[in-house]
Amino acid sequence: MAQVPFLNLKAAYEELKPALDEALLRTAASGWYLLGDALKTFEAAYAAHTQTAHCVGVANGLDALHLGLAALGVGPGDEVIVPSNTYIATWLAVSAVGAVPVPVEPDEATFNLDPARIRAALTSKTRVILPVHLYGRPCDMGAIMALAHAHGLKVLDDAAQAHHAHYRGKPVGGLAHLTAWSFYPGKNLGAFGDGGAVTTDDPALADRVRVLRNYGSRVKYVNEVKGVNSRLDDVQAAVLSAKLPHLAKWNARRTALANRYLEALQGLPLTLPSMSSVEQSAWHLFVVRAPHRDALQKALKERGVDTLIHYPIPPFLQDAYAEFRPRAAEFSLAAQMAKDVLSLPMGPHLSIAEQDHVIAAVKASLS
Ligand SMILES: *Cc1c(COP(=O)(O)O)cnc(C)c1O
């Protein structure tokens, strides 16, 4: 078998070619490319899909987080609880509004924020808890929302990896005060470029993001606040509308592949992701932990299997956050994960034959 790619984005296009071509051409021919009907149609469809009252499209996932925090009124002097082990966008959004990210270590069984550790990190300056549904697995939102209510805090969740994930039977998107989404091409629901959105049940928060994304303006040339230019364009919205009806089926394929991995990789010197009946993962990534990760990655590459590392350097060890360097020892769980996590090929177009090749390659590499 030829190289097994980590993720095959072209296959999604090929599966839906007529519908995607029609969406692209229809938008091109419409003569309207920003804040038009294609955007309104997608916003309504995604609000319905997430069972929320409002969806506001923005330019990317980082802006969804940034404008979400701005809508919550977070600014200089405020603290925001973030995971120590996340993609740096989560932290950058906090910095973008002038607030301070307060890293909290994960629960090793789930990779997600540990509610007990969040409680220990709260101060009089904490305004928001920003959980990330890492690798697609929903956080323990019941415990996090209860903690937030008890302390008068808001919750903005980063769902960039968790499209169509469910917590206690409810879709991610309406579990917190505000939810931030990314439609980066490699996400479970991906555009043909950058895209993002915020979902919420709160009309005032939705209205604030709507105004902020468009220069702080509701009426053309009338600017209420200092906004930004961060709109989800109509071409991307049309692409996302064409893909959305297939998301549930694509996630079901990911779940089937995850179950096959879990079954086949038992008993090897690997830590496999844990399962939960409460938290239905979107299986954005299938991440194992391996004591000799780099050697395993190299051996898999030689056997024709592409893997990735999410993420090799945690935010607190990046030059961008050099101020956290002296405190690095406080975040040893995240530092250890960066050394031993490995993401195996995963996606709705990974074939069973390809997955069997990956499984055989992992077994051969570890024997
Ligand atoms: C992808 C991602 C983002 C950022 O999304 P962009 O659309 O690339 O800006 C934020 N948080 C997490 C956890 C992500 O995986």
Side-chain angles (χ1 to χ4, degrees):
M1 174 172 298
Q3 196 80 8
V4 179
F6 182 75
L7 176 67
N8 182 356
L9 286 180
K10 224 168 113 179
Y13 173 66
E14 281 158 5
E15 183 184 336
L16 302 183
K17 186 175 181 334
L20 288 167
D21 287 351
E22 192 276 328
L24 289 168
L25 290 175
R26 175 169 29 86
T27 315
S30 76
W32 196 289
Y33 308 115
L34 286 169
L35 302 178
D37 286 342
L39 175 62
K40 288 190 192 82
T41 299
F42 173 69
E43 287 177 338
Y46 203 60
H49 190 92
T50 54
Q51 296 174 24
T52 55
H54 308 277
C55 170
V56 183
V58 298
N60 54 64
L62 173 58
D63 283 0
L65 291 162
H66 169 185
L67 298 185
L69 289 170
L72 289 168
V74 179
D78 294 334
E79 292 179 355
V80 176
I81 301 286
V82 295
S84 55
N85 60 323
T86 181
Y87 182 55
I88 197 162
T90 317
W91 288 44
L92 289 174
V94 177
S95 301
V97 296
V100 175
V102 174
V104 168
E105 289 267 85
D107 174 345
E108 278 198 279
T110 65
F111 292 106
N112 281 331
L113 271 183
D114 180 340
R117 288 190 169 100
I118 296 175
R119 188 193 305 275
L122 299 178
T123 74
S124 59
K125 294 180 183 167
T126 312
R127 292 284 310 280
V128 168
I129 302 172
L130 206 176
V132 179
H133 309 299
L134 199 67
Y135 308 150
R137 180 181 175 139
C139 296
D140 185 356
M141 291 304 286
I144 290 172
M145 293 309 290
L147 189 62
H149 287 301
H151 292 86
L153 305 172
K154 297 292 185 196
V155 179
L156 164 66
D157 53 338
D158 179 341
Q161 302 185 357
H163 310 80
H164 200 71
H166 285 68
Y167 175 81
R168 295 193 187 279
K170 217 175 154 327
V172 168
L175 303 170
H177 297 98
L178 211 62
T179 300
W181 301 92
S182 163
F183 304 120
Y184 176 83
K187 309 294 191 189
N188 287 33
L189 181 62
F192 287 165
D194 279 313
V198 162
T199 54
T200 181
D201 282 327
D202 184 330
L205 288 176
D207 183 64
R208 254 174 260 161
V209 176
R210 220 175 270 286
V211 168
L212 283 170
R213 76 169 172 185
N214 190 33
Y215 291 107
S217 166
R218 196 185 306 271
V219 176
K220 203 164 186 165
Y221 305 131
V222 179
N223 302 85
E224 300 170 23
V225 291
K226 297 183 186 78
V228 298
N229 176 359
S230 180
R231 299 172 296 219
L232 177 64
D233 69 68
D234 277 48
V235 168
Q236 301 307 339
V239 165
L240 292 167
S241 288
K243 285 186 166 188
L244 182 58
H246 303 273
L247 175 60
K249 170 187 69 191
W250 283 343
N251 271 24
R253 286 191 212 157
R254 289 173 182 271
T255 303
L257 291 166
N259 286 330
R260 286 189 91 242
Y261 270 141
L262 288 169
E263 174 94 29
L265 300 178
Q266 275 178 58
L268 297 172
L270 290 176
T271 306
L272 300 175
S274 65
M275 293 291 276
S276 156
S277 55
V278 169
E279 294 146 13
Q280 173 57 52
S281 179
W283 291 111
H284 175 58
L285 297 171
F286 189 89
V287 178
V288 301
R289 301 182 68 183
H292 306 288
R293 190 268 316 274
D294 292 342
L296 176 59
Q297 184 174 40
K298 187 161 167 281
L300 288 173
K301 181 87 198 165
E302 283 161 4
R303 289 183 166 88
V305 174
D306 285 342
T307 58
L308 290 175
I309 294 165
H310 299 90
Y311 296 92
I313 307 173
F316 57 88
L317 293 178
Q318 300 281 1
D319 287 346
Y321 284 101
E323 66 270 31
F324 282 88
R325 281 276 164 74
R327 296 177 49 201
E330 291 173 44
F331 314 115
S332 57
L333 288 178
Q336 181 56 40
M337 285 173 185
K339 291 197 181 96
D340 63 24
V341 292
L342 186 68
S343 305
L344 301 182
M346 169 56 80
H349 301 92
L350 182 72
S351 71
I352 294 294
E354 284 174 322
Q355 187 184 32
D356 283 342
H357 182 82
V358 176
I359 290 165
V362 171
K363 287 183 172 166
S365 301
L366 290 173
S367 67

